[in-house]
Amino acid sequence: MHLKNIPHEEVLVLAEQLPVHKGQIISKTLVQNQFVGMTLFSFSAEEEISTHTSHGDAMVQVLEGVGVFTVGEQKFEVGAGQCLVMPAEVPHAVYAKSDFKMLLTVVFPTA
């Protein structure tokens, strides 16, 4: 199996797969290989991941709450049910405007 840390053959609510703990960012890796990474995150309000880059295109799907994403020079407020694509090699950061949860999918170049 390629997906790990998540039940198989079962209907799930992704947002229920991680708790939110005050003052913390929690992550659970579902897939990590040379082609793709999928990670669930939960952020306590006002926590953040500072500016960094990725070698692959990254798509975040917000499952609960609201996050503020800085991509290059632009800021995007993304809420539950919304997604945002952050292109490879463009600096980006994330800030939790409220408690929030997201699924991050990164697709890496194959060449």
Side-chain angles (χ1 to χ4, degrees):
M1 290 188 187
H2 299 288
L3 282 167
K4 60 183 182 179
N5 299 323
I6 193 165
H8 290 211
E9 298 180 42
E10 183 177 325
V11 177
L12 302 170
V13 176
L14 282 179
E16 294 175 358
Q17 300 305 302
L18 284 180
V20 172
H21 290 298
K22 181 134 180 80
Q24 294 185 18
I25 298 171
I26 300 171
S27 66
K28 180 188 280 192
T29 300
L30 304 180
V31 174
Q32 187 65 54
N33 60 43
Q34 65 185 7
F35 304 111
V36 67
M38 291 178 70
T39 308
L40 283 171
F41 284 90
S42 70
F43 287 72
S44 175
E46 300 184 5
E47 292 299 316
E48 63 187 314
I49 296 176
S50 62
T51 303
H52 60 284
T53 59
S54 171
H55 297 297
D57 290 335
M59 183 174 77
V60 293
Q61 297 169 275
V62 175
L63 306 170
E64 283 184 353
V66 178
V68 177
F69 296 81
T70 303
V71 182
E73 300 296 319
Q74 298 182 77
K75 287 195 183 289
F76 301 90
E77 191 169 293
V78 185
Q82 297 179 314
C83 70
L84 173 68
V85 174
M86 300 176 290
E89 308 304 338
V90 175
H92 55 273
V94 60
Y95 171 79
K97 185 171 181 178
S98 65
D99 287 353
F100 92 103
K101 297 177 183 180
M102 69 178 195
L103 173 64
L104 171 68
T105 303
V106 181
V107 179
F108 298 103
T110 56

